[in-house]
Amino acid sequence: MSYHVSCAYPCLGQENVDDKPLVNPGEFDTLDALSPASQEYNIYMLENLPPKYKTYLGTCADKMGPSGISECNEDVLREILTNKPVSRECCLMVVRAGKECYMEIRKLMFRLYQLKRFASQVFFKTNEVWNRCSAEVEMSCAYPCLGQEDVDDKPLVNPGDFDTLDALSPASQEYNIYMLENLPPKYKTYLGTCADKMGPSGISECNEDVLREILTNKPVSRECCLMVVRAGKECYMEIRKFMFRLYQLKRFASQVSFKSNEVWNRCSAEVESPSSSHDHTILYHVSCVYPCLGQEDVDDKPLVNPGEFDTLDALSPASQEYNIYMLENLPPKYKTYLGTCADKMGPSGISECNEDVLREILTNKPVSRECCLMVVRAGKECYMEIRKFMFRLYQLKRLASQVSFKTIEVWNRCSAKVERPNMKIPDNGFSEQDVVDTSGDNGGSRSYGDGQLVSEEIDGVLL
């Protein structure tokens, strides 16, 4: 199965099509000149934002600091539209708030009347500004930056009150039992696998300590940080989301996203610090790789029988027209981005290796080490975007809702194989039909069993 995508895209030596600013620097300050009708549009839009979303954006603004939401955000907008770089001080504010906050504030800004005409053109430039700022900050300061004031140091729960959170009425206990019983079976399995990755005591002691840090600011121990990092960020975040659906904690759910991220960042920085080479040894020799060795693999059945894989390209004329139409209507910048990703994999990457990756995702047949090298060379973001694109093709889109975890698993296996060539990595499948929907009716939204959808948009197109 070959996907000749690269022929439609620029080669590495092509002129950068995105270096021309969207707005001439001299015209930037005129963007705020609004008619009364335009001002009413903005007022109406802002007033009708969901209350929790307003709170979320307010928290993001607070994390940037007193001047973050005005001066720095204006400078970020200026860089996105005119290519004038923001200052290092502004980059510190951006990174302090975190990528999720940064992206959400950008989305809101490009919903304003005076900016919404640019909304479909700024996704990659917005990402580029984040990447530049985070790289600049990380080169010279560890997380959090020395001397940076912590604007979120007030705990959500007084330390003395923390142990009382588990005091539940019978009705509250019934709520929790009902919620637990109605989790999708595969999501329960996924959470159980995450708990196993943390180790025997991870799901109780360490998770309680993580919860304590999120709510009271009491730091978890280094040993607990090792368990957290061993499980991985996705597991860590999913366990957090689950815990804040419990009756006694759900009132904090809208306030803990960034503190949860902050605990992860602190733990990963502590574990990955130069002084922790011993910890790297521990992490590289943990007793279980995902899923844990010896645990029954509930998702090892391939999505496609190996003998049927090569028949997936048998398309009717109508199906071929569907693919042609979809390809022709991709945003130009997204085509360029995919082409750059293909180039990063190398000359054979977009055809042979990508076909082998698809084969592993669908049939569990492992890709070669040479293909893993191409995958890791391109980077995780490119790898994931190419996968998303491929599962929008007519012959594959019916499988799109089932491949998210298997796609990530192939990446993890390849990156581990490249980084630790002598370590044997188990080959197994993990689908998530009941957990994550990567396309289909949600238009590229992900749902982790709790109804919360996270849309992924590239240049105005939902993926």
Side-chain angles (χ1 to χ4, degrees):
M1 184 180 295
S2 286
Y3 300 94
H4 300 292
V5 183
S6 58
C7 61
Y9 302 135
C11 297
L12 287 175
Q14 176 183 335
E15 179 186 3
N16 184 356
V17 295
D18 291 308
D19 59 358
K20 185 177 178 182
L22 292 169
V23 174
N24 290 326
E27 298 173 3
F28 179 81
D29 292 327
T30 66
L31 291 175
D32 274 342
L34 292 176
S35 67
S38 304
Q39 291 174 332
E40 287 180 11
Y41 173 98
N42 287 346
I43 292 167
Y44 180 82
M45 183 271 289
L46 291 167
E47 286 178 347
N48 285 275
L49 290 174
K52 288 188 179 181
Y53 187 59
K54 289 182 183 178
T55 302
Y56 174 74
L57 290 174
T59 304
C60 288
D62 290 340
K63 294 188 79 174
M64 289 186 72
S67 63
I69 203 62
S70 53
E71 297 160 35
C72 180
N73 272 326
E74 183 175 345
D75 290 344
V76 169
L77 183 63
R78 192 185 301 269
E79 176 166 353
I80 291 170
L81 296 178
T82 73
N83 295 343
K84 180 183 176 182
V86 301
S87 65
R88 176 169 173 71
E89 289 69 26
C90 182
C91 276
L92 284 168
M93 294 180 188
V94 165
V95 174
R96 177 197 298 164
K99 187 170 184 179
E100 289 182 19
C101 267
Y102 166 80
M103 295 301 289
E104 283 306 319
I105 292 174
R106 272 358 93 196
K107 287 178 189 173
L108 171 72
M109 293 177 78
F110 284 100
R111 289 175 66 187
L112 295 170
Y113 186 87
Q114 63 270 38
L115 298 174
K116 67 190 179 78
R117 68 183 184 273
F118 302 112
S120 66
Q121 307 170 64
V122 297
F123 181 85
F124 292 109
K125 184 64 181 178
T126 301
N127 259 310
E128 190 178 89
V129 173
W130 167 265
N131 291 338
R132 189 187 68 75
C133 272
S134 58
E136 184 170 326
V137 170
E138 287 169 9
M139 280 192 295
S140 59
C141 70
Y143 180 92
C145 292
L146 295 176
Q148 172 184 320
E149 182 185 1
D150 186 358
V151 296
D152 291 304
D153 57 358
K154 185 177 179 182
L156 291 169
V157 174
N158 290 327
D161 297 335
F162 179 81
D163 293 325
T164 67
L165 291 175
D166 274 342
L168 292 175
S169 68
S172 305
Q173 290 174 334
E174 286 179 11
Y175 174 97
N176 287 347
I177 291 168
Y178 177 83
M179 184 268 290
L180 289 165
E181 288 177 347
N182 285 276
L183 289 176
K186 291 189 179 179
Y187 187 59
K188 290 182 184 178
T189 302
Y190 175 68
L191 289 175
T193 303
C194 287
D196 290 338
K197 291 180 77 177
M198 289 186 71
S201 63
I203 201 63
S204 53
E205 297 160 37
C206 180
N207 270 326
E208 183 175 344
D209 289 345
V210 169
L211 183 63
R212 192 184 300 270
E213 176 165 354
I214 292 170
L215 296 178
T216 72
N217 295 343
K218 179 183 177 182
V220 301
S221 66
R222 186 173 181 73
E223 290 70 30
C224 183
C225 275
L226 283 168
M227 293 181 189
V228 165
V229 174
R230 178 196 298 163
K233 187 169 184 179
E234 288 182 22
C235 272
Y236 166 81
M237 295 303 290
E238 280 309 316
I239 291 174
R240 274 353 97 197
K241 288 178 188 173
F242 163 73
M243 292 177 78
F244 283 99
R245 290 175 67 191
L246 296 170
Y247 186 87
Q248 63 269 39
L249 298 174
K250 65 190 181 79
R251 68 183 183 274
F252 303 113
S254 65
Q255 307 170 64
V256 297
S257 172
F258 295 103
K259 185 63 181 179
S260 297
N261 259 309
E262 189 177 89
V263 173
W264 167 265
N265 290 339
R266 190 187 68 75
C267 273
S268 58
E270 184 168 328
V271 169
E272 293 168 9
S273 65
S275 63
S276 61
S277 59
H278 173 65
D279 300 326
H280 279 296
T281 303
I282 295 173
L283 288 174
Y284 288 162
H285 294 85
V286 292
S287 58
C288 67
V289 184
Y290 177 87
C292 293
L293 296 176
Q295 174 186 326
E296 181 184 3
D297 187 357
V298 294
D299 289 303
D300 59 357
K301 186 177 178 182
L303 292 169
V304 174
N305 290 328
E308 298 173 3
F309 179 80
D310 293 325
T311 67
L312 291 174
D313 265 346
L315 292 175
S316 67
S319 305
Q320 291 173 335
E321 286 180 11
Y322 173 97
N323 286 348
I324 291 167
Y325 179 82
M326 185 269 287
L327 289 164
E328 287 177 347
N329 286 275
L330 290 175
K333 290 186 181 179
Y334 187 58
K335 290 183 182 178
T336 302
Y337 176 72
L338 287 176
T340 303
C341 287
D343 290 338
K344 290 174 78 175
M345 289 186 72
S348 63
I350 202 63
S351 55
E352 297 159 37
C353 180
N354 272 326
E355 182 176 346
D356 290 344
V357 169
L358 183 62
R359 192 183 300 270
E360 175 165 356
I361 291 170
L362 296 179
T363 74
N364 295 343
K365 180 182 176 181
V367 301
S368 65
R369 177 169 171 74
E370 290 68 25
C371 182
C372 277
L373 285 168
M374 293 180 188
V375 165
V376 174
R377 179 197 301 158
K380 188 172 183 179
E381 287 185 18
C382 273
Y383 166 80
M384 295 300 290
E385 283 307 320
I386 292 173
R387 270 0 93 197
K388 289 177 189 172
F389 163 73
M390 292 175 78
F391 282 98
R392 291 176 67 191
L393 296 168
Y394 185 88
Q395 62 270 41
L396 297 174
K397 66 190 181 78
R398 71 183 186 277
L399 304 165
S401 66
Q402 305 172 61
V403 297
S404 176
F405 289 125
K406 183 64 183 178
T407 300
I408 292 170
E409 187 179 88
V410 173
W411 166 266
N412 290 340
R413 191 185 68 76
C414 271
S415 58
K417 194 168 192 177
V418 170
E419 291 168 10
R420 305 189 291 280
N422 296 323
M423 183 176 181
K424 185 176 180 181
I425 307 296
D427 302 311
N428 38 49
F430 193 91
S431 65
E432 51 153 358
Q433 191 167 5
D434 296 333
V435 184
V436 176
D437 183 9
T438 53
S439 66
D441 294 339
N442 290 332
S445 296
R446 296 183 182 183
S447 176
Y448 287 91
D450 59 358
Q452 288 186 318
L453 298 179
V454 181
S455 295
E456 298 185 353
E457 187 173 345
I458 299 267
D459 212 13
V461 173
L462 285 169
L463 298 177

